Amino acid sequence: MELSGKHLVLGLSGGIACYKAAELCRALVKAGATVQIVMTEAAGHFITPVTLQALSNRPVFDSQWDAREGNNMAHINLSREADAIVIAPASADFMAKLIHGRADDLLSLMCLARPLERVPLIVAPAMNREMWAHPATQRNVAQLKADGVHVLDVGQGDQACGETGDGRMLEADEILQELISFFAPKRLAGQQVLVTAGPTYEAIDPVRGITNLSSGKMGFAIARAACEAGAAVTLVAGPVSLPTPRGVRRIDVRSARDMLQAVQAQVDAASVFVATAAVADWRPAASADQKIKKDGSGDTPALRFVENPDILATVAQSPRGQQGQRGEAGGLFCVGFAAESHDLLAHASAKRERKGVPLLVGNIGPATFGQDDNALLLIDAGGATELPRASKLNLARQLIAEISRRLPPGAPTR
Ligand code: C5P
């Protein structure tokens, strides 16, 4: 569980987004965190302490005069034991209070009393779009950031007031993702990671084509894990319907040749390249401009194929790919994947040599395509390491740790 061992104070200030805080509380507990709810009086107009006590499994605090604490100093006790204080929702008024160091209720008092070095403050703003866009709010956000507060983005869309625009609080699972990222070790800080994912689609005519069963899940998980580890991540994705991981820049492509073009346009900026895409080996030699019609004669169209470019081999054999292979700073560290049906070690080792990559990740194709879990075999010059069956996200995080250990020491290459 991603947040196990973490103790979070979840603070609610007044706003309709309080209903999302209930879901957030549940998601945090499910991710293994212990959650202490602290709410303002205004928050109590939107959601009751009963709901939040039931979800957090702890009594809720909402007053600085609460006599339950032995020393009567809830603001001190609660903030000292927290790994972070998360304010969700953070109203415009509450943010204004924070920047002035006001402390006239338990939540703001606790934020002011927290040990700055040890207890980070994370706020998820939530308000009407005009309130969000107001120069006063924007000034306050800038000041909070300057004070070292981690201010999350706002969402965009329909608002409870009937208006549409920026200012919605992020959804519970988005805030959860942000918190997981926040606590993740920044093993790839300063690195630029380029990932290919999913299948490619090779057109036969405007309505038909050839593709494969790759779901893109492994590549998307790797992009997410790299982003959690502090890298700037670009994901070149074939046709899949997966949501883009938060913070990842995504470029959608269709064919192998589109994918190669997108990769070549991005690769100079990258320091790590991870090729997870199941690129079609062949494409129809010609793609018809119009739909090929059945003429009733029983004749079938003749399909001829030509080989697609090998994106990984092209990149790995470039001068920077070769520098990366030799472990030189400034090189591009390339990671390939091999989906095999049998004899994984032998085939994957041969593929590592053939492609010219320092690290090749083998898996059993039929056992991974479309699945949520997988098992990996990592092969480098030193031998093979097994990553036993686990969720793709878990494996992706382990793989990112393995990649970071193999990067040349010192400053990031780009
Ligand atoms: O040769 P094979 O398809 O088995 O190699 C798999 C590895 O090469 C994967 O990392 C895949 O993303 C990459 N690849 C590629 N371009 C191709 C074929 C494979 O980048 N045309």
Side-chain angles (χ1 to χ4, degrees):
M1 288 195 290
E2 290 120 323
L3 293 180
S4 54
K6 296 289 178 221
H7 179 66
L8 302 173
V9 169
L10 176 58
L12 284 70
S13 59
I16 186 60
C18 279
Y19 82 91
K20 293 188 193 174
E23 269 204 52
L24 175 61
C25 176
R26 191 156 180 271
L28 295 174
V29 170
K30 243 176 118 174
T34 50
V35 178
Q36 174 60 59
I37 301 284
V38 177
M39 56 201 286
T40 64
E41 191 193 336
H45 287 281
F46 292 93
I47 190 166
T48 70
V50 177
T51 304
L52 293 160
Q53 176 168 354
L55 292 172
S56 64
N57 201 21
R58 281 169 170 252
V60 168
F61 283 80
D62 56 8
S63 162
Q64 73 267 48
W65 310 119
D66 194 322
R68 279 175 295 176
E69 294 289 296
N71 58 0
N72 215 318
M73 293 188 201
H75 62 296
I76 302 291
N77 306 346
L78 296 178
S79 62
R80 296 304 180 272
E81 59 194 28
D83 290 301
I85 299 174
V86 183
I87 310 292
S91 66
D93 179 59
F94 193 76
M95 293 198 299
K97 279 175 91 166
L98 282 178
I99 67 147
H100 288 292
R102 299 265 310 273
D104 59 357
D105 71 326
L106 177 60
L107 191 56
S108 54
L109 179 59
M110 194 188 63
C111 291
L112 190 67
R114 82 186 202 281
L116 271 182
E117 312 301 308
R118 203 159 50 72
V119 185
L121 178 59
I122 301 163
V123 303
M127 67 202 71
N128 164 269
R129 67 191 175 100
E130 299 290 1
M131 294 167 72
W132 175 250
H134 197 285
T137 303
Q138 290 305 312
R139 208 165 48 231
N140 292 346
V141 167
Q143 186 59 55
L144 283 174
K145 289 180 178 171
D147 289 347
V149 176
H150 192 78
V151 183
L152 302 182
D153 289 339
V154 290
Q156 201 264 343
D158 293 342
Q159 302 203 306
C161 51
E163 298 178 3
T164 304
D166 290 342
R168 288 165 56 103
M169 187 170 87
L170 295 181
E171 301 304 319
D173 63 335
E174 294 175 312
I175 297 179
L176 175 67
Q177 257 192 55
E178 292 278 352
L179 294 176
I180 291 169
S181 284
F182 183 84
F183 287 115
K186 297 294 172 257
R187 295 187 167 105
L188 293 186
Q191 302 285 345
Q192 307 256 356
V193 177
L194 179 62
V195 182
T196 65
T200 63
Y201 176 92
E202 312 297 331
I204 295 173
D205 69 17
V207 294
R208 304 186 185 93
I210 292 172
T211 186
N212 61 62
L213 289 175
S214 166
S215 64
K217 286 178 184 167
M218 193 69 222
F220 275 58
I222 289 169
R224 174 173 167 180
C227 196
E228 287 174 0
V233 183
T234 302
L235 173 62
V236 178
V240 292
S241 54
L242 294 173
T244 311
R246 282 190 71 69
V248 167
R249 187 164 73 99
R250 172 171 176 174
I251 300 169
D252 285 321
V253 296
R254 216 156 83 123
S255 69
R257 284 183 298 171
D258 297 341
M259 188 173 273
L260 176 64
Q261 205 177 29
V263 164
Q264 282 178 329
Q266 304 299 323
V267 78
D268 284 350
S271 51
V272 178
F273 176 55
V274 187
T276 66
V279 183
D281 290 321
W282 306 283
R283 66 176 181 277
S287 160
D289 290 340
Q290 295 185 339
K291 184 181 171 190
I292 303 170
K293 304 293 283 181
K294 192 161 62 175
D295 61 9
S297 69
D299 289 347
T300 54
L303 277 184
R304 264 195 342 103
F305 290 93
V306 291
E307 196 167 313
N308 266 329
D310 188 318
I311 302 167
L312 176 61
T314 307
V315 169
Q317 280 148 35
S318 69
R320 284 191 62 236
Q322 306 227 301
Q323 270 179 283
Q325 163 86 312
R326 294 191 295 269
E328 292 171 16
L332 176 69
F333 188 87
C334 294
V335 183
F337 267 69
E340 306 293 342
S341 59
H342 61 286
D343 259 346
L344 188 54
L345 179 60
H347 283 121
S349 304
K351 190 159 293 180
R352 192 184 83 84
E353 296 285 333
R354 207 167 54 243
K355 302 264 181 184
V357 294
L359 179 62
L360 194 116
V361 183
N363 56 178
I364 296 293
T368 173
F369 274 28
Q371 303 295 313
D372 286 326
D373 60 358
N374 196 4
L376 303 178
L377 186 68
L378 272 47
I379 296 157
D380 66 8
T385 316
E386 258 180 72
L387 300 185
R389 185 155 284 278
S391 74
K392 287 185 173 173
L393 185 55
N394 183 318
L395 290 170
R397 289 177 177 140
Q398 295 183 59
L399 177 60
I400 289 299
E402 295 282 349
I403 291 173
S404 73
R405 277 198 276 284
R406 289 168 170 82
L407 295 178
T413 48
R414 293 260 149 159

